[in-house]
Every structure is written in C-alpha cells, then in structure tokens.
C-alpha cells in the first residue's frame, strides 16, 4: 500500500515536469501529491497502531462526508475507465471512529475492488441505515439499536467459496507475488473489529463482490 502511494507521487512529479508552463495544471498536480502524502501519514499511523506503538484517536465522524471524499483520494490510482458511483443515506449518520484508520480501511477496500476490476468496470460506494434487530439476524452478537452499513461493490470477477473463506487471513492473497502482500483486507478486518463493527462479503465467481461493513451509529 505504501509503495502504491510512492508510485502516485512519482507519477505526478513526472507529469509536473511536462506542465511547467501551465500554472493551473501544476496546482492540480500539487493538490494530488498533498492528498497522497496525507494518505501516507494516515497509513503510517495505522501501521503504528497495529504494532501497538500508537493509540487510536476516536472522534465523531460523518460517514457520508467520508464516503463522498473517497473519489478524490482515488484519482491517482484508478484508471479513467473505472466509474465510481456514490449513493449515500439521506440522513448523515455519525459514528465514533478514528478518522485516519477508517479512511485507510475504506481505501483498502476500494483498491482491492480496483484490482478485481482490472482496466474497466464500476465501483459503487453506498451507505444505508439499518436497525439493530435486522443486523442481529446475521451477527447475533450485536448490541446497538442502529447501524450504518457501508457497501463497497465492484463488477469484477468475484470469488469462489474457498477464496472467500480466507480473504481476511493475514498474508493470504490470490495476486502474483509482486502485486500484493495479503495484508490489505486483514488490516480492514482489524480496523472494523476495533471499532465494534462487523464485516461480510457477498460474492460469486463471475458476479462481482460486495463488501459490507457495519458500524454502530452514535446517538
């Protein structure tokens, strides 16, 4: 993941060399680099937290606002042939979360979807408010009365049942050795659990995948 961020920065530095006479284009390139550096800082905090060297900083977070900012974060990594659709809940739910960790987890899900899509397809991000009783049918251990469901859906190849059962295992990956470490989804799982949430995936080979993350709504 950190290597991907460095690749984005290097790519935009190269682009800037061709835009030296265009101040407007330079400003746009610099903005992407600034956002990528900020993303690298968030990833570093996540790694330190995972290593128990840094404490999570919880605050009230607007889920809709976080979701609507995701496309800007993905500008440097997604090809133009992949379309991003947003569908947020009419009521903006707040949750208690570490914004940096949550943002990185969602970005990991999106990058995972990008890898499943390849060069083209559709990535959909949505938020839905769901009553606790309805969530309890799938996750019996839930305690809160209302949850927000964040869904990350792609139109990629999907997964078979054997792969689905292991996707959150550390170092498990179906990607070539130089394309993935198998840590992205395990970090997502750890972040969701540390926020008292739940995560599941609905997938079939040839039918795409939908990752659903549930967090208790703050009242």
């Amino acid at each position: 993941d950190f290597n991907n961020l460095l690749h984005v920065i290097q790519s935009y530095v190269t682009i800037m060399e061709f835009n030296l006479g265009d101040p407007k284009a330079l400003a746009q390139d610099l903005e992407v680099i600034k956002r990528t550096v900020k993303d690298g800082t968030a990833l570093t905090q996540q790694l330190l937290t995972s290593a128990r060297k840094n404490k999570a900083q919880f605050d009230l977070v607007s889920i809709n606002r976080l979701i609507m900012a995701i496309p800007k974060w993905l500008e440097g990594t997604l090809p133009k042939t992949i379309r991003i659709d947003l569908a947020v809940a009419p009521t903006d739910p707040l949750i208690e979360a570490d914004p940096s960790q949550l943002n990185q987890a969602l970005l990991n899900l999106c990058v995972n979807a990008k890898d499943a899509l390849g060069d083209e397809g559709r990535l959909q991000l949505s938020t839905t408010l769901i009553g606790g009783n309805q969530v309890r049918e799938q996750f019996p251990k839930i305690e809160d009365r209302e949850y927000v469901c964040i869904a990350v859906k792609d139109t990629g190849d999907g997964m078979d049942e054997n792969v689905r059962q292991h996707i959150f295992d550390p170092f498990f990956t179906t990607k070539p050795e130089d394309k993935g470490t198998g840590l992205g989804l395990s970090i997502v799982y750890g972040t969701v659990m540390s926020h008292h949430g739940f995560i599941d995936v609905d997938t079939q080979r040839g039918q795409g995948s939908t990752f659903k993350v549930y967090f208790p709504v703050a009242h």
Side-chain angles (χ1 to χ4, degrees), residues 105 168-169 183-195 197-199:
F168 298 117
D169 294 350
L183 287 173
L185 289 179
S186 67
I187 288 178
V188 171
Y189 184 85
T191 299
V192 172
M193 293 300 106
S194 68
H195 285 71
F198 301 88
I199 185 170

Side-chain angles (χ1 to χ4, degrees), residues 33-53:
I33 291 175
K34 288 178 182 178
R35 288 201 304 266
T36 307
V37 170
K38 185 176 179 182
D39 195 15
T41 301
L43 178 57
T44 301
Q45 292 175 349
Q46 173 69 16
L47 293 171
L48 289 172
T49 301
S50 299
R52 301 296 189 268
K53 301 295 183 182

Side-chain angles (χ1 to χ4, degrees), residues 151-164:
V152 179
K153 181 179 181 180
D154 67 68
T155 57
D157 292 334
M159 297 172 277
D160 58 36
E161 182 59 23
N162 181 58
V163 172
R164 191 194 71 81

Side-chain angles (χ1 to χ4, degrees), residues 105-133:
L106 293 176
L107 287 174
N108 278 349
L109 287 177
C110 291
V111 170
N112 186 73
K114 180 206 74 169
D115 292 340
L117 289 170
D119 293 330
E120 61 181 356
R122 191 172 77 234
L123 171 61
Q124 183 181 65
L125 306 175
S126 62
T127 61
T128 311
L129 286 172
I130 303 178
N133 289 334

Side-chain angles (χ1 to χ4, degrees), residues 72-208:
K72 292 182 179 179
W73 287 91
L74 295 174
E75 277 181 359
T77 58
L78 252 62
K80 301 296 184 182
T81 49
I82 294 180
R83 192 180 81 192
I84 302 179
D85 295 328
L86 299 179
V88 297
T91 302
D92 187 10
L94 300 177
I95 70 168
E96 291 186 7
D98 182 306
S100 295
Q101 288 192 21
L102 192 55
N103 188 59
Q104 188 59 46
L106 293 176
L107 287 174
N108 278 349
L109 287 177
C110 291
V111 170
N112 186 73
K114 180 206 74 169
D115 292 340
L117 289 170
D119 293 330
E120 61 181 356
R122 191 172 77 234
L123 171 61
Q124 183 181 65
L125 306 175
S126 62
T127 61
T128 311
L129 286 172
I130 303 178
N133 289 334
Q134 185 177 346
V135 181
R136 192 173 290 110
E137 294 176 3
Q138 186 173 4
F139 304 101
K141 294 182 179 181
I142 74 128
E143 300 176 351
D144 293 81
R145 62 186 176 88
E146 189 175 27
Y147 283 74
V148 57
C149 173
I150 305 170
V152 179
K153 181 179 181 180
D154 67 68
T155 57
D157 292 334
M159 297 172 277
D160 58 36
E161 182 59 23
N162 181 58
V163 172
R164 191 194 71 81
Q165 290 181 0
H166 296 283
I167 54 174
F168 298 117
D169 294 350
F171 304 109
F172 175 82
T173 181
T174 58
K175 301 173 186 175
E177 187 174 343
D178 61 338
K179 296 294 184 181
T181 61
L183 287 173
L185 289 179
S186 67
I187 288 178
V188 171
Y189 184 85
T191 299
V192 172
M193 293 300 106
S194 68
H195 285 71
H196 309 291
F198 301 88
I199 185 170
D200 192 23
V201 59
D202 181 18
T203 183
Q204 282 186 328
R205 178 65 70 184
Q207 300 295 320

